[in-house]
Amino acid sequence: MKTRWGSCNIKEKRIWLNLRLIHYDRSCLEYVVLHELLHIKERRHNKRFYGLLTTYKPDWKENKKMLNNE
């Protein structure tokens, strides 16, 4: 996996993580794991998805910014 930090197979309830995450702060790994696990509950990036993400990890935007500035 070279272009994404993680992905989720909703049908199989399985996630994959990019191994490059080991080079980042642990909070970034937590963000990606949570992001992918939430797709099992909410498939799309919609208002409900981001509401759940904010509930469980209020600082998720900081982590996303760190990973996107690679």
Side-chain angles (χ1 to χ4, degrees):
M1 183 178 302
K2 293 182 180 180
T3 59
R4 292 188 266 179
W5 293 112
S7 65
C8 178
N9 182 318
I10 297 166
K11 186 177 178 182
E12 299 291 326
K13 295 185 176 164
R14 196 173 293 165
I15 64 168
W16 290 269
L17 301 173
N18 189 316
L19 292 177
R20 291 185 299 150
L21 284 168
I22 63 170
H23 299 292
Y24 289 85
D25 190 78
R26 181 180 174 163
S27 65
C28 289
L29 173 62
E30 292 169 353
Y31 157 67
V32 174
V33 169
L34 177 61
H35 181 107
E36 299 308 332
L37 287 174
L38 284 176
H39 279 302
I40 294 171
K41 193 167 189 123
E42 182 59 53
R43 183 177 190 157
R44 292 180 171 70
H45 291 120
N46 56 25
K47 189 175 182 177
R48 180 171 182 250
F49 176 87
Y50 287 113
L52 289 167
L53 190 56
T54 301
T55 297
Y56 293 111
K57 187 154 181 53
D59 64 342
W60 69 269
K61 290 179 185 179
E62 295 170 28
N63 298 129
K64 182 177 181 178
K65 200 179 286 187
M66 277 191 259
L67 293 170
N68 286 341
N69 288 330
E70 178 193 50

